[in-house]
Amino acid sequence: MLKFEYMEKYGYEQLIYLYDRNSGLKGFICIHNTTLGPALGGTRVWEYENEEEAVLDVMRLARGMTKKAACAGLNLGGGKAVIIGNSKALRKDTVKREAFWRAFGRYVDSLGGRFITAEDVGTSPLDMNLVKMETDHVMGLPTTSGDPSPFTAHGVLKGIKACVKEEIGTSKLEGIKVAISGVGHVGAVLADLLHEEGAILYISDIDEEALKEVSEKTGATIVDKDIIHTLDVDVYAPCALGATLNDKTIPYIKAKIIAGSANNQLEDTNKHGLMLHELGIVYAPDYVINAGGLINVYQEKIGYNKEASMHAIDLIYDRIREIIRESKDSNTPSYLVAERMAERRIEMMSKISSIHIATK
Ligand code: NAD
């Protein structure tokens, strides 16, 4: 990958290499766009095969955060950090762990607030507490807005309701069949919420214990993970991995609606987004429906208030309905409607920045 070429193509601002010989820290921070505000994105620890794979991931994820914040109406830009390593191995030596995360915190601090980070795959609240020792530009700590997953699940529920209203014409979820792939932090809470609303659930996971627990609590039917997307249900909710909507799965999907929390659900955004549209399947764009966690963390920036946060997350319902309607009215795939929504807001807001506010 020619990095400057890639940066030019997608409008990136900054890519930072992180290296600390002492603690073994190796990673990247990518700032995609700060038109709307500081770039907020979690820090991911992953055993990447090589440097190239990590760079591509951090850049792709940072761009996704720009779109997510823009569509959610937040004054935030998009960024992300990825660290090459094994999260379990990193936790073994407590002294090294402290040095590792404090070194990372110093890098974050050196950006002077252009980048704000939080927990993500492979990082824990304790890691972020260590980062906090070096910088104030870290959010989502246990003592602040906390675990984002229940908020993400609440937003996904609202998104599902919006899709059901538009596609099936009912405001109630009673008797609506939903297949959830992945009952982890988000999927398990989503199952609870759907169960409370009277939905009929089918669940799959690779974790037998998680399946048993959710099934006992909600009466969900356990299904093999390789066939969950083929079920004759109303809603298919991918809540595990990314890229599960692809050439191999889409032809077998019978659900009228796809609405779940997983990031980057479309393996090839343009190709598979169009494929779903042509098949008449309503697809709730992932970064719009799964923005609840980000919306909640953002409240820290303006003074955390759980009630205000839940109210802001409820608006996912209106946003998803607007996207579906626009998609139908203009015969445009929903992923493209959402992208245009994000781009339009960024463009409009970049223009008001020419109005200078007088300061002393
Ligand atoms: P998690 O790791 O807690 O849960 C994922 C679950 O998927 C696990 O139970 C895992 O065993 C299961 N799984 C893995 N491979 C599977 C497979 N092949 N088939 C079925 N299940 C499988 O993660 P999470 O925090 O619940 O997040 C779920 C998804 O939502 C991820 O894609 C994440 O990026 C996205 N997301 C999460 C949040 C959040 O607030 N946690 C916010 C936005 C997006």
Side-chain angles (χ1 to χ4, degrees):
M1 177 177 61
L2 289 168
K3 297 184 185 64
F4 283 123
E5 220 169 74
Y6 193 80
M7 287 177 88
E8 189 181 348
K9 184 174 174 192
Y10 293 108
Y12 286 89
E13 291 179 14
Q14 202 174 359
L15 175 67
I16 302 126
Y17 278 65
L18 316 174
Y19 179 64
D20 178 52
R21 192 177 185 173
N22 175 44
S23 62
L25 170 72
K26 266 188 204 164
F28 304 91
I29 293 174
C30 178
I31 296 177
H32 175 244
N33 187 299
T34 55
T35 306
L36 299 176
L40 193 146
T43 297
R44 179 167 293 194
V45 175
W46 197 254
E47 277 187 293
Y48 293 98
E49 294 270 318
N50 52 49
E51 234 175 272
E52 203 61 17
E53 197 192 10
V55 173
L56 192 64
D57 203 34
V58 78
M59 295 184 89
R60 201 175 42 89
L61 291 165
R63 198 163 81 239
M65 291 306 294
T66 300
K67 291 191 275 186
K68 190 183 284 204
C71 281
L74 307 175
N75 291 334
L76 289 176
K80 198 85 184 181
V82 307
I83 286 170
I84 303 170
N86 178 303
S87 54
K88 280 190 189 141
L90 269 175
R91 287 175 195 153
K92 280 192 181 145
D93 178 341
T94 51
V95 176
K96 203 166 177 187
R97 179 183 189 178
E98 180 182 347
F100 187 96
W101 287 112
R102 290 183 68 173
F104 175 70
R106 285 183 174 222
Y107 275 114
V108 172
D109 204 58
S110 74
L111 294 167
R114 267 172 61 71
F115 175 68
I116 303 170
T117 201
E119 242 187 275
D120 200 83
V121 177
T123 49
S124 73
L126 179 59
D127 297 331
M128 290 302 120
N129 279 338
L130 294 169
V131 173
K132 176 79 179 160
M133 288 169 90
E134 299 294 336
T135 183
D136 284 335
H137 306 301
V138 53
M139 289 181 173
L141 301 172
T143 47
T144 53
S145 65
D147 178 8
S149 308
F151 298 93
T152 302
H154 180 74
V156 174
L157 176 78
K158 292 287 165 180
I160 290 177
K161 283 189 166 185
C163 294
V164 168
K165 178 74 183 167
E166 284 299 319
E167 191 56 19
I168 305 174
T170 169
S171 300
K172 295 208 170 123
L173 294 181
E174 205 164 352
I176 295 288
K177 291 181 185 162
V178 185
I180 307 175
S181 168
V183 284
H185 287 98
V186 179
V189 181
L190 178 65
D192 279 346
L193 297 173
L194 288 165
H195 175 61
E196 278 168 25
E197 301 262 349
I200 299 164
L201 302 178
Y202 301 84
I203 53 170
S204 73
D205 202 294
I206 49 170
D207 181 338
E208 298 291 329
E209 250 177 64
L211 282 172
K212 192 166 169 269
E213 202 176 304
V214 173
S215 171
E216 279 172 4
K217 224 169 151 192
T218 65
T221 305
I222 297 172
V223 179
D224 188 287
K225 69 173 175 41
D226 296 326
I227 61 145
I228 185 119
H229 63 284
T230 68
L231 298 187
D232 192 3
V233 291
D234 300 295
V235 182
Y236 170 48
C239 295
L241 313 170
T244 58
L245 302 175
N246 53 43
D247 288 345
K248 288 191 194 124
T249 57
I250 292 175
Y252 297 97
I253 294 176
K254 296 189 194 80
K256 305 172 198 66
I257 295 163
I258 299 176
S261 76
N263 278 315
N264 303 315
Q265 292 171 31
L266 301 166
E267 189 177 280
D268 176 327
T269 311
N270 297 330
K271 181 181 177 192
H272 299 119
L274 180 63
M275 228 165 136
L276 293 175
H277 181 70
E278 286 176 343
L279 286 167
I281 297 173
V282 168
Y283 167 66
D286 45 20
Y287 54 84
V288 181
I289 194 169
N290 74 13
L294 180 67
I295 295 170
N296 185 55
V297 146
Y298 173 73
Q299 296 296 315
E300 279 184 38
K301 210 171 162 276
I302 54 176
Y304 190 72
N305 175 322
K306 190 174 173 192
E307 208 177 309
S309 178
M310 293 302 269
H311 178 67
I313 296 167
D314 285 348
L315 299 178
I316 289 177
Y317 177 85
D318 302 302
R319 221 164 279 134
I320 294 286
R321 282 192 75 179
E322 188 187 334
I323 290 170
I324 297 170
R325 280 189 198 162
E326 171 66 22
S327 166
K328 287 188 175 166
D329 291 351
S330 62
N331 193 21
T332 308
S334 57
Y335 84 90
L336 206 51
V337 174
E339 269 182 20
R340 288 179 185 159
M341 187 186 254
E343 281 163 10
R344 183 155 182 268
R345 181 163 177 249
I346 292 169
E347 201 195 321
M348 294 292 273
M349 295 309 132
S350 73
K351 287 182 181 145
I352 67 159
S353 64
S354 63
I355 305 167
H356 291 286
I357 300 164
T359 50
K360 268 195 238 170

